[in-house]
Amino acid sequence: MAISEKGLQQLQESLSSETKSSAGDKHETGRAMIQLEREQLGNQLANIEAEKEIILKIDPSSKSQIIGLGAVVLTSQHHYFIATSIGKIRINNTDYYALSLESPIGQLLSGKRVGDKFVFRNQEIEILEVL
């Protein structure tokens, strides 16, 4: 988030410092490219903010036997953290896959409990533990 905000600030400074030169078209192209980059960073920042809001909704003290937002799920194949789709996280030499409820596996896990099974990529996977 801090990197995106700093990038936006630098782009704004670049845009502000652009002065009209005799190059005309070159100047306009430079401004357009800066504006495009600014939009991309703005979108990236909005996505980060949305993910942050999802994470802030998780109550770490809440325990549920039903898989939902904030659950840590141990299966016969992998370990998952249901939050936002940020990929693999390594904690104490154990890999966890952080994924959203909207992801394909998140949808398969949602509402399930220990002992339930689901099929993903033609493989049956059992839910061993929900933390």
PDB file of all heavy atoms in Angstrom, residues 103-117:
ATOM      1  N   SER A 103     -12.757 -17.708  -4.844  1.00  0.00           N
ATOM      2  CA  SER A 103     -11.866 -18.516  -5.677  1.00  0.00           C
ATOM      3  C   SER A 103     -12.491 -19.899  -5.882  1.00  0.00           C
ATOM      4  O   SER A 103     -13.380 -20.306  -5.119  1.00  0.00           O
ATOM      5  CB  SER A 103     -10.496 -18.657  -5.011  1.00  0.00           C
ATOM      6  OG  SER A 103     -10.600 -19.473  -3.855  1.00  0.00           O
ATOM      7  N   PRO A 104     -12.047 -20.640  -6.891  1.00  0.00           N
ATOM      8  CA  PRO A 104     -12.628 -21.980  -7.116  1.00  0.00           C
ATOM      9  C   PRO A 104     -12.551 -22.896  -5.889  1.00  0.00           C
ATOM     10  O   PRO A 104     -13.550 -23.524  -5.520  1.00  0.00           O
ATOM     11  CB  PRO A 104     -11.800 -22.539  -8.282  1.00  0.00           C
ATOM     12  CG  PRO A 104     -11.366 -21.313  -9.031  1.00  0.00           C
ATOM     13  CD  PRO A 104     -11.119 -20.273  -7.967  1.00  0.00           C
ATOM     14  N   ILE A 105     -11.406 -22.955  -5.229  1.00  0.00           N
ATOM     15  CA  ILE A 105     -11.299 -23.814  -4.041  1.00  0.00           C
ATOM     16  C   ILE A 105     -12.077 -23.196  -2.885  1.00  0.00           C
ATOM     17  O   ILE A 105     -12.710 -23.912  -2.105  1.00  0.00           O
ATOM     18  CB  ILE A 105      -9.823 -24.058  -3.659  1.00  0.00           C
ATOM     19  CG1 ILE A 105      -9.144 -24.884  -4.764  1.00  0.00           C
ATOM     20  CG2 ILE A 105      -9.706 -24.781  -2.323  1.00  0.00           C
ATOM     21  CD1 ILE A 105      -7.693 -25.174  -4.539  1.00  0.00           C
ATOM     22  N   GLY A 106     -12.053 -21.887  -2.772  1.00  0.00           N
ATOM     23  CA  GLY A 106     -12.825 -21.208  -1.730  1.00  0.00           C
ATOM     24  C   GLY A 106     -14.298 -21.543  -1.821  1.00  0.00           C
ATOM     25  O   GLY A 106     -14.966 -21.774  -0.805  1.00  0.00           O
ATOM     26  N   GLN A 107     -14.820 -21.583  -3.038  1.00  0.00           N
ATOM     27  CA  GLN A 107     -16.228 -21.937  -3.244  1.00  0.00           C
ATOM     28  C   GLN A 107     -16.498 -23.380  -2.840  1.00  0.00           C
ATOM     29  O   GLN A 107     -17.552 -23.691  -2.273  1.00  0.00           O
ATOM     30  CB  GLN A 107     -16.629 -21.702  -4.696  1.00  0.00           C
ATOM     31  CG  GLN A 107     -16.685 -20.241  -5.061  1.00  0.00           C
ATOM     32  CD  GLN A 107     -17.009 -20.015  -6.530  1.00  0.00           C
ATOM     33  OE1 GLN A 107     -17.320 -20.943  -7.264  1.00  0.00           O
ATOM     34  NE2 GLN A 107     -16.934 -18.766  -6.952  1.00  0.00           N
ATOM     35  N   LEU A 108     -15.535 -24.262  -3.136  1.00  0.00           N
ATOM     36  CA  LEU A 108     -15.711 -25.670  -2.772  1.00  0.00           C
ATOM     37  C   LEU A 108     -15.641 -25.878  -1.256  1.00  0.00           C
ATOM     38  O   LEU A 108     -16.322 -26.741  -0.712  1.00  0.00           O
ATOM     39  CB  LEU A 108     -14.639 -26.529  -3.455  1.00  0.00           C
ATOM     40  CG  LEU A 108     -14.752 -26.673  -4.974  1.00  0.00           C
ATOM     41  CD1 LEU A 108     -13.510 -27.347  -5.539  1.00  0.00           C
ATOM     42  CD2 LEU A 108     -16.000 -27.455  -5.346  1.00  0.00           C
ATOM     43  N   LEU A 109     -14.807 -25.079  -0.576  1.00  0.00           N
ATOM     44  CA  LEU A 109     -14.637 -25.215   0.871  1.00  0.00           C
ATOM     45  C   LEU A 109     -15.749 -24.551   1.678  1.00  0.00           C
ATOM     46  O   LEU A 109     -16.093 -25.016   2.767  1.00  0.00           O
ATOM     47  CB  LEU A 109     -13.292 -24.609   1.299  1.00  0.00           C
ATOM     48  CG  LEU A 109     -12.031 -25.380   0.911  1.00  0.00           C
ATOM     49  CD1 LEU A 109     -10.791 -24.547   1.190  1.00  0.00           C
ATOM     50  CD2 LEU A 109     -11.970 -26.707   1.650  1.00  0.00           C
ATOM     51  N   SER A 110     -16.299 -23.485   1.149  1.00  0.00           N
ATOM     52  CA  SER A 110     -17.275 -22.681   1.892  1.00  0.00           C
ATOM     53  C   SER A 110     -18.437 -23.521   2.426  1.00  0.00           C
ATOM     54  O   SER A 110     -19.077 -24.271   1.691  1.00  0.00           O
ATOM     55  CB  SER A 110     -17.818 -21.569   0.989  1.00  0.00           C
ATOM     56  OG  SER A 110     -18.723 -20.762   1.698  1.00  0.00           O
ATOM     57  N   GLY A 111     -18.669 -23.400   3.739  1.00  0.00           N
ATOM     58  CA  GLY A 111     -19.793 -24.096   4.365  1.00  0.00           C
ATOM     59  C   GLY A 111     -19.507 -25.525   4.765  1.00  0.00           C
ATOM     60  O   GLY A 111     -20.326 -26.170   5.407  1.00  0.00           O
ATOM     61  N   LYS A 112     -18.338 -26.039   4.399  1.00  0.00           N
ATOM     62  CA  LYS A 112     -18.003 -27.425   4.740  1.00  0.00           C
ATOM     63  C   LYS A 112     -17.411 -27.479   6.148  1.00  0.00           C
ATOM     64  O   LYS A 112     -17.088 -26.473   6.750  1.00  0.00           O
ATOM     65  CB  LYS A 112     -17.023 -27.987   3.716  1.00  0.00           C
ATOM     66  CG  LYS A 112     -17.621 -28.088   2.322  1.00  0.00           C
ATOM     67  CD  LYS A 112     -17.081 -29.265   1.590  1.00  0.00           C
ATOM     68  CE  LYS A 112     -17.677 -29.539   0.239  1.00  0.00           C
ATOM     69  NZ  LYS A 112     -18.755 -28.793  -0.266  1.00  0.00           N
ATOM     70  N   ARG A 113     -17.263 -28.707   6.661  1.00  0.00           N
ATOM     71  CA  ARG A 113     -16.702 -28.911   7.997  1.00  0.00           C
ATOM     72  C   ARG A 113     -15.770 -30.121   7.993  1.00  0.00           C
ATOM     73  O   ARG A 113     -15.656 -30.810   6.979  1.00  0.00           O
ATOM     74  CB  ARG A 113     -17.791 -29.045   9.050  1.00  0.00           C
ATOM     75  CG  ARG A 113     -19.010 -29.788   8.644  1.00  0.00           C
ATOM     76  CD  ARG A 113     -20.070 -29.945   9.728  1.00  0.00           C
ATOM     77  NE  ARG A 113     -21.056 -28.891   9.732  1.00  0.00           N
ATOM     78  CZ  ARG A 113     -21.432 -28.240  10.818  1.00  0.00           C
ATOM     79  NH1 ARG A 113     -20.914 -28.518  11.973  1.00  0.00           N
ATOM     80  NH2 ARG A 113     -22.352 -27.322  10.775  1.00  0.00           N
ATOM     81  N   VAL A 114     -15.138 -30.382   9.125  1.00  0.00           N
ATOM     82  CA  VAL A 114     -14.202 -31.500   9.255  1.00  0.00           C
ATOM     83  C   VAL A 114     -14.881 -32.799   8.834  1.00  0.00           C
ATOM     84  O   VAL A 114     -16.025 -33.059   9.193  1.00  0.00           O
ATOM     85  CB  VAL A 114     -13.685 -31.616  10.711  1.00  0.00           C
ATOM     86  CG1 VAL A 114     -12.863 -32.887  10.904  1.00  0.00           C
ATOM     87  CG2 VAL A 114     -12.865 -30.395  11.088  1.00  0.00           C
ATOM     88  N   GLY A 115     -14.161 -33.597   8.049  1.00  0.00           N
ATOM     89  CA  GLY A 115     -14.683 -34.877   7.569  1.00  0.00           C
ATOM     90  C   GLY A 115     -15.323 -34.796   6.202  1.00  0.00           C
ATOM     91  O   GLY A 115     -15.430 -35.803   5.500  1.00  0.00           O
ATOM     92  N   ASP A 116     -15.759 -33.591   5.805  1.00  0.00           N
ATOM     93  CA  ASP A 116     -16.343 -33.430   4.465  1.00  0.00           C
ATOM     94  C   ASP A 116     -15.256 -33.608   3.413  1.00  0.00           C
ATOM     95  O   ASP A 116     -14.062 -33.392   3.671  1.00  0.00           O
ATOM     96  CB  ASP A 116     -16.974 -32.037   4.303  1.00  0.00           C
ATOM     97  CG  ASP A 116     -18.266 -31.886   5.091  1.00  0.00           C
ATOM     98  OD1 ASP A 116     -18.789 -32.899   5.581  1.00  0.00           O
ATOM     99  OD2 ASP A 116     -18.737 -30.731   5.213  1.00  0.00           O
ATOM    100  N   LYS A 117     -15.689 -33.993   2.244  1.00  0.00           N
ATOM    101  CA  LYS A 117     -14.768 -34.170   1.115  1.00  0.00           C
ATOM    102  C   LYS A 117     -15.267 -33.352  -0.058  1.00  0.00           C
ATOM    103  O   LYS A 117     -16.453 -33.059  -0.176  1.00  0.00           O
ATOM    104  CB  LYS A 117     -14.674 -35.642   0.727  1.00  0.00           C
ATOM    105  CG  LYS A 117     -14.093 -36.502   1.824  1.00  0.00           C
ATOM    106  CD  LYS A 117     -14.069 -37.957   1.435  1.00  0.00           C
ATOM    107  CE  LYS A 117     -13.530 -38.774   2.612  1.00  0.00           C
ATOM    108  NZ  LYS A 117     -13.528 -40.193   2.349  1.00  0.00           N
TER     109      LYS A 117
END
